[in-house]
Amino acid sequence: GPVLQPQAPRERARMNQIVAMLDNYAYGPMVWDVYVQRVEPPEGQRPDEARIADGLEKARRVLTALSDLVGDRLWLASETPSLADFHAAPIFDLFQQAPDGAAMLAQFPSLFAWWETISARPSVVAALT
């Protein structure tokens, strides 16, 4: 299987940085504020539009930072898939299920291309279904 920990120190540091960014800045807004509110609001409740708007604003900031960090690489941290890619996949999967999330992701061409690539991998398809 693939080596999920890059060997090069700079790539390994970038992978760790991206995982930390996802945990601290992406998961809450992209999953709880956008996906849960838009796609699966608590039973009997309407989506909280203010929370969605705040989540989208925070998601835009983290997607901008991530896009700048990734540049035109196919994978997030290195030239091959790493833990960063597989950590990001479920967050992006939920985010893009919300129409507002999908529309925002489409505004980041490199991240959109990454999502199209990773979401087609058989292991990711199996994990996300």
Side-chain angles (χ1 to χ4, degrees):
V3 177
L4 296 179
Q5 295 267 2
Q7 298 308 302
R10 169 173 274 163
E11 291 180 353
R12 186 177 293 226
R14 188 183 301 124
M15 178 193 75
N16 290 333
Q17 178 184 13
I18 290 170
V19 168
M21 281 173 63
L22 293 165
D23 286 347
N24 292 308
Y25 303 107
Y27 181 76
M30 292 173 73
V31 174
W32 287 101
D33 299 341
V34 177
Y35 168 76
V36 170
Q37 287 298 317
R38 178 66 73 219
V39 180
E40 290 191 17
E43 198 165 329
Q45 292 183 30
R46 293 175 160 269
D48 182 337
E49 295 297 335
R51 186 169 175 183
I52 292 168
D54 183 60
L56 287 167
E57 186 181 317
K58 289 174 178 161
R60 180 177 301 283
R61 284 201 294 266
V62 74
L63 292 174
T64 299
L66 191 57
S67 182
D68 291 347
L69 200 56
V70 172
D72 57 5
R73 271 193 314 276
L74 177 58
W75 302 108
L76 297 182
S78 64
E79 297 307 313
T80 57
S82 74
L83 291 173
D85 299 287
F86 296 105
H87 195 71
I91 297 171
F92 277 73
D93 178 54
L94 295 174
F95 184 66
Q96 60 85 36
Q97 288 183 44
D100 357 36
M104 182 173 286
L105 183 56
Q107 296 169 18
F108 294 88
S110 64
L111 295 178
F112 185 79
W114 165 84
W115 171 246
E116 297 263 279
T117 302
I118 196 163
S119 63
R121 285 177 76 97
S123 62
V124 173
V125 170
L128 297 179
T129 49

